[in-house]
């Protein structure tokens, strides 16, 4: 991507998932190898852990959020990507992601853009905040 | 410190990409990946995080005790009901592609506690560095894990 096409303040807002299903969480559990019963066992999640239903992996939300970045700057362009998991994502949630360009800088020979990320659920609660930097030229 | 050898294989990459709803063919098609300048099928940005779990000899069997809420997937806090993932950070140095064989070396950088109204939570920062077969650092992955249940301040957990 040419540096001229991205500017501080540019923003993308995308729906990451609508009504997340337990089956989607289960598929991610197997794909990622994280079979913690909190994610895949309804009885465990509700009766033992005390949640209303199964909880999605933080890495699932982070992986979904990465798509906004990679579709924007292109695959293989990320130089760093970090997330703080603020609140549990549950089955049936709908997630809306907002990614904003917060800076542009040179790092050696590379032109980098810095991004902030914020993912909210259908109640407006922030479930993930994050930052990323990506090569843009 | 534990080192785990992790071969990057196509079926696992495709399964991971599809679980995340990735539509870009660079994550499953060799021709598409090569056309975009990658040496092979590319892995999605968060792919490496769980990789050592598949190849570590220590965590192949899931053990869980539903009455106590303990699962060995919650290492290293299994004695107090497992852990939550508080933060995750990646630093990318080289693309990770199908055909790579990475060595993942994990170490605990620091541990600390935070006290609140309901008790004390234990925190642990774990760093995993992935090196390729030439010894080049390709990805550094840093996780902050938080004990799932609060523990009494006087507790030994």
């Amino acid at each position: 991507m040419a540096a001229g096409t991205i500017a501080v303040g540019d923003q993308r807002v995308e729906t990451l998932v609508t009504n997340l299903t337990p089956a989607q969480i289960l598929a991610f559990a197997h794909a990622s190898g994280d079979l913690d019963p909190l994610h895949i066992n309804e009885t465990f999640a509700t009766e033992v852990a005390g949640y209303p239903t199964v909880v999605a992996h933080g890495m699932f939300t982070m992986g979904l959020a990465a798509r906004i970045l990679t579709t924007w700057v292109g695959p293989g362009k990320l130089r760093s990507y970090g997330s703080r998991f603020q609140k549990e994502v549950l089955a049936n949630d709908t997630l809306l992601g907002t990614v904003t360009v917060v800076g542009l800088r040179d790092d050696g020979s590379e032109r980098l853009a810095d991004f902030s990320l914020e993912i909210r659920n259908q109640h407006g609660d922030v479930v993930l905040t994050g930052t990323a930097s990506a090569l843009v030229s | 410190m534990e080192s785990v050898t992790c071969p990057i294989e196509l079926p696992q990459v495709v399964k991971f990409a599809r679980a995340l709803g990735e539509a870009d063919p660079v994550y499953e098609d060799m021709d598409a990946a090569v056309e975009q300048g990658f040496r092979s099928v590319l892995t999605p940005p968060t792919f490496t995080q769980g990789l050592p779990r598949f190849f570590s000899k220590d965590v192949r069997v899931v053990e869980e005790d539903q009455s106590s809420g303990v699962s060995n997937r919650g290492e290293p806090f299994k004695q107090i009901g497992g852990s939550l993932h508080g933060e995750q950070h990646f630093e990318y140095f080289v693309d990770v592609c199908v055909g790579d064989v990475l060595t993942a070396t994990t170490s605990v950088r620091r541990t600390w506690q935070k006290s609140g109204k309901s008790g004390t939570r234990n925190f642990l920062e774990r760093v995993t560095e992935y090196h390729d077969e030439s010894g080049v650092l390709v990805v550094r992955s840093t996780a902050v894990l938080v004990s799932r249940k609060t523990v009494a301040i006087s507790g030994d957990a």
Side-chain angles (χ1 to χ4, degrees):
Chain A
M1 156 177 286
T5 63
I6 195 161
V8 173
D10 285 358
Q11 194 168 73
R12 288 198 176 185
V13 180
E14 289 179 22
T15 300
L16 298 178
V17 67
T18 303
N19 299 326
L20 177 65
T21 65
Q24 285 174 294
I25 297 172
L26 182 61
F28 184 79
H30 284 287
S32 68
D34 184 349
L35 295 161
D36 190 303
L38 186 66
H39 306 304
I40 64 174
N41 184 322
E42 180 80 21
T43 305
F44 179 92
T46 56
E47 293 178 16
V48 180
Y51 290 98
T53 181
V54 287
V55 178
H57 309 70
M59 290 310 300
F60 189 36
T61 307
M62 191 176 182
L64 293 174
R67 275 171 31 207
I68 305 180
L69 290 162
T70 55
T71 54
W72 193 347
V73 299
K77 303 292 189 190
L78 288 180
R79 291 295 175 266
S80 67
Y81 179 31
S83 287
R84 184 179 285 238
F85 306 109
Q86 304 282 8
K87 189 178 171 71
E88 288 84 355
V89 171
L90 302 170
N92 308 314
D93 277 1
T94 292
L95 300 178
L96 187 73
T98 303
V99 176
T100 309
V101 179
V102 295
L104 289 167
R105 61 190 163 95
D106 293 310
D107 182 22
S109 60
E110 295 191 332
R111 183 72 171 158
L112 298 180
D114 293 318
F115 298 87
S116 69
L117 293 87
E118 186 178 79
I119 313 300
R120 290 178 185 265
N121 65 18
Q122 69 276 19
H123 307 296
D125 301 328
V126 175
V127 297
L128 179 153
T129 52
T131 57
S133 61
L135 186 64
V136 288
S137 61
Chain B
M1 192 173 293
E2 186 196 9
S3 282
V4 180
T5 302
C6 307
I8 310 300
E9 293 168 343
L10 183 64
Q12 196 181 354
V13 176
V14 171
K15 193 171 169 181
F16 188 87
R18 289 184 181 179
L20 290 175
E22 282 286 2
D24 195 321
V26 294
Y27 301 118
E28 57 181 281
D29 182 76
M30 182 68 154
D31 292 341
V34 169
E35 198 170 299
Q36 291 209 39
F38 301 102
R39 62 184 183 280
S40 176
V41 170
L42 184 66
T43 60
T46 58
F47 178 76
T48 50
Q49 192 273 332
L51 204 51
R53 273 193 292 264
F54 288 97
F55 302 105
S56 169
K57 291 176 175 60
D58 297 334
V59 290
R60 286 209 175 128
V61 180
V62 181
E63 294 167 5
E64 59 181 270
D65 176 347
Q66 293 201 1
S67 61
S68 69
V70 168
S71 158
N72 70 341
R73 292 286 169 177
E75 287 276 17
F77 290 123
K78 67 179 179 184
Q79 76 279 13
I80 49 173
S83 63
L84 296 172
H85 204 164
E87 293 179 37
Q88 174 66 38
H89 303 273
F90 295 99
E91 296 158 79
Y92 305 104
F93 305 103
V94 181
D95 294 327
V96 176
C97 294
V98 166
D100 292 351
V101 178
L102 303 183
T103 301
T105 307
T106 299
S107 59
V108 174
R109 184 184 278 163
R110 62 191 183 114
T111 60
W112 67 99
Q113 291 191 324
K114 269 188 196 170
S115 297
K117 286 175 195 162
S118 55
T120 298
R121 281 182 185 269
N122 290 338
F123 291 76
L124 181 148
E125 187 175 275
R126 192 170 66 187
V127 180
T128 303
E129 291 191 333
Y130 296 84
H131 291 84
D132 68 14
E133 288 176 287
S134 321
V136 173
L137 177 64
V138 297
V139 175
R140 182 184 293 121
S141 168
T142 304
V144 175
L145 304 177
V146 187
S147 58
R148 187 173 291 168
K149 291 177 182 170
T150 55
V151 294
I153 292 169
S154 59
D156 59 3

